[in-house]
Amino acid sequence: MPATLFGRTLLTLILTFGAFTLVTASAIVVYVLLPLSQRSAADLANIMVLAARTFHQLPPESRANYRRHLIDQYRLGLDEQPPVVDHQRHFFPYRWRLEQALSKRLGRPVEMISASNAGEPWFWVEIGRDIDEEPLWIGFPRSRIGTQPLLGLTIIALVAVGLILLTALILAGQVSRPVRRLAKAAEEVAFGRSPQDLPETGLVELANLARRFNQTSRQVRELLADRTLLLTGISHDLRTPLTRLRLAVAMLPEGTPPELTQRLERDIDEMNTLIGQALELGRTLGAEPPEMVELNTLLTEVVAKRSHLLWTPGPDCYRAVAVLALRRILANLVENALRYGGEQPVELRLDCQEEAVAIEVLDRGPGIPESELEAVFRPFYRLESSRNRRTGGTGLGLAVAQQLARANRMELTLTPRPGGGMIGRVWLPAGKGGDRDRS
C-alpha cells in the first residue's frame, strides 16, 4: 500500500473506477456492441450475396457500369480473378461474425482473405460458384468499416487516467494540505515554539480539528507561561531566605567549628544551584536563530582549560547551529562525563559529514543501565547506584539539555560505549552547512 495520502487516494480511485469501467464496458459489449455487430454482419452478408447474384443476371455490356455503381454506392468490389493474397492478417472488428453470416447464407464454411489494393487492405471472399458456374470474388476495403475500436479504447483510457489523476489531486489536496499545516504546527509546538493559529476553514471535520488544535496550542502556551511564572516566583522567594542564611553563617561566632560552617555553606550552595537549574528548566526553551560557525573552534572554547579531557581539532567544519543552546548542551554532557567518568580521561569527538554532523562525548564511567536510558532525561531523575545527590547530581542537567536539543532541532542520545562507559551524542539538524573545508 502507498504510504502517502495521495498514493492511497489514487489507488482507491483506480480500483473503484477500474471496476466500474470494467463492468460498464462488459455491459456495453454484451448488450449493445455484440447485437449491433451481429446485425451489421448479417446485413453486409446479404448485400454481398445479392450483389453477386445481380451481377450474374446482368448482360455482359452492363456489368462494367454495375461494378462502378457498387464501388461508388456500397464500397464493394467484384472481380472474376482471385486477388493476390496478403499474408498479413488485417483486422476489423466483426470479421469472424461476417464469416459466420456468409457461411450461413451459402451453406458452406467461408474464410475471408486479405489483399492490398493501392496500399489499403481489402477483404475478399469467393461466392460466385455458389450462385453460378463462373468464379466471382467480392470484397470491400477496410475503410468501409468506419469503426476504430483500438483508437477509441486508447482515448477512453487516456481520459480515464487523466480524470483519475485530477480527482485524486483534488480530493487528496483538500485533505493533505490542512494535514500538512497541522503537522508543521504540531512540530513547532514540539520544539517549544508558538505557531500561528491554523485557519479554521474548509471541510467540517478538518475545521473542527484545526479549532481543537488551536485551543490546545493556546492552553499549552498558557501552561508554559504559568510554569515559568510559578518557578520564577518560587526562585525569588527561596533565594531571599538563602541570602539571609548565608549572612547568618558568615556572622557565626568565632568559636564555631569550621566543619559545621563549611557544611552549611555547601548546603546553601547546593540549594542555590538546584534552584537555578529548576528555574532554567521552567523557562520556555525556545529556538534560537541559527548562526554559521566553525564547530572545531566552538568545541575548543567549550573545552577551554578543562583537565582530564581529550580533544583534537580536525578539518574545518562549518554548520548553521543555535550556538548558545549547543554550548549549554555540550557543557552539561562534559560536566556529567567528568563527574562520573572515573579515572580515565573523557574524549570529545567531532564527526563532520556532508549528510550529518555528530558531536560525541565519551567517558569510561560505570555507565547507565539500558532500561534507564530514557528515564535519565526526565527532570529530577537520578540513578541511585552512582549518579545521585551525594556525588553532586541534581537530576536536571540532562533534562535541560534534552529540552534545548528538541527546541533547536537537534537530537541528543545516550548509548553504552563498547568496553564500558557512555557516549553522549548530539546530532545537528540537517541542512546546508556551507563549505566544509576552508583555508
Side-chain angles (χ1 to χ4, degrees), residues 53-343:
R53 288 177 177 175
T54 303
F55 181 81
H56 280 294
Q57 294 174 1
L58 291 174
E61 60 274 10
S62 302
R63 292 182 176 180
N65 292 331
Y66 184 67
R67 290 175 192 267
R68 289 192 294 271
H69 176 73
L70 287 178
I71 286 291
D72 295 338
Q73 297 296 324
Y74 299 100
R75 303 291 304 279
L76 293 176
L78 292 173
D79 199 342
E80 291 84 356
Q81 301 297 325
V84 179
V85 177
D86 186 354
H87 295 287
Q88 181 180 358
R89 186 176 178 83
H90 298 282
F91 168 79
F92 73 88
Y94 52 91
R95 175 174 181 165
W96 64 279
R97 285 196 174 273
L98 180 57
E99 291 175 345
Q100 286 183 341
L102 287 172
S103 299
K104 185 177 180 180
R105 288 295 306 271
L106 300 177
R108 64 175 177 84
V110 172
E111 182 179 1
M112 304 189 73
I113 63 174
S114 300
S116 181
N117 184 6
E120 183 180 11
W122 279 63
F123 302 96
W124 296 90
V125 61
E126 184 184 8
I127 59 176
R129 296 184 186 276
D130 296 280
I131 300 172
D132 197 356
E133 294 296 330
E134 299 179 8
L136 181 63
W137 292 80
I138 186 168
F140 56 89
R142 173 63 179 83
S143 58
R144 190 183 191 279
I145 311 298
T147 58
Q148 296 181 335
L150 295 180
L151 178 60
L153 290 175
T154 301
I155 293 175
I156 291 174
L158 292 176
V159 172
V161 171
L163 289 176
I164 289 174
L165 288 174
L166 180 62
T167 306
L169 285 172
I170 294 174
L171 293 179
Q174 290 179 346
V175 178
S176 62
R177 281 192 297 269
V179 170
R180 285 196 298 268
R181 288 198 297 264
L182 177 61
K184 185 176 181 180
E187 184 181 8
E188 295 293 314
V189 173
F191 287 142
R193 293 186 285 268
S194 298
Q196 295 182 351
D197 287 347
L198 298 175
E200 300 174 4
T201 58
L203 301 175
V204 175
E205 295 82 357
L206 295 175
N208 290 336
L209 179 60
R211 187 177 303 108
R212 296 298 182 188
F213 179 84
N214 291 335
Q215 293 174 354
T216 303
S217 178
R218 287 192 289 269
Q219 291 173 358
V220 170
R221 289 198 297 268
E222 292 172 0
L223 287 173
L224 292 176
D226 292 343
R227 184 186 69 172
T228 302
L229 181 61
L230 177 62
L231 289 176
T232 303
I234 292 176
S235 173
H236 179 271
D237 292 342
L238 289 178
R239 280 177 169 167
T240 299
L242 281 178
T243 303
R244 290 199 298 265
L245 286 175
R246 192 181 296 276
L247 290 174
V249 170
M251 297 173 63
L252 286 174
E254 295 183 359
T256 304
E259 295 82 5
L260 176 60
T261 303
Q262 293 174 1
R263 186 166 65 249
L264 291 174
E265 290 177 348
R266 284 197 302 270
D267 291 340
I268 293 173
D269 290 338
E270 184 178 344
M271 285 188 289
N272 193 45
T273 302
L274 183 59
I275 291 171
Q277 290 187 349
L279 180 60
E280 183 181 31
L281 180 66
R283 293 194 185 101
T284 302
L285 300 175
E288 301 175 18
E291 302 177 27
M292 185 67 68
V293 296
E294 204 286 301
L295 294 178
N296 287 279
T297 303
L298 186 145
L299 293 180
T300 302
E301 295 173 356
V302 170
V303 171
K305 297 182 179 180
R306 298 174 190 259
S307 60
H308 219 59
L309 184 62
L310 300 180
W311 157 244
T312 303
D316 288 353
C317 179
Y318 285 84
R319 282 297 185 276
V321 296
V323 178
L324 295 179
L326 183 57
R327 286 178 183 273
R328 292 166 65 186
I329 294 170
L330 293 176
N332 284 345
L333 290 178
V334 169
E335 288 174 5
N336 280 349
L338 291 174
R339 182 180 297 124
Y340 309 114
E343 297 297 329

Side-chain angles (χ1 to χ4, degrees), residues 323-367:
V323 178
L324 295 179
L326 183 57
R327 286 178 183 273
R328 292 166 65 186
I329 294 170
L330 293 176
N332 284 345
L333 290 178
V334 169
E335 288 174 5
N336 280 349
L338 291 174
R339 182 180 297 124
Y340 309 114
E343 297 297 329
Q344 297 191 37
V346 173
E347 298 181 41
L348 187 63
R349 298 177 184 173
L350 172 62
D351 183 13
C352 186
Q353 303 294 332
E354 291 293 340
E355 299 79 11
V357 174
I359 302 174
E360 299 177 343
V361 179
L362 306 92
D363 65 59
R364 287 296 183 186

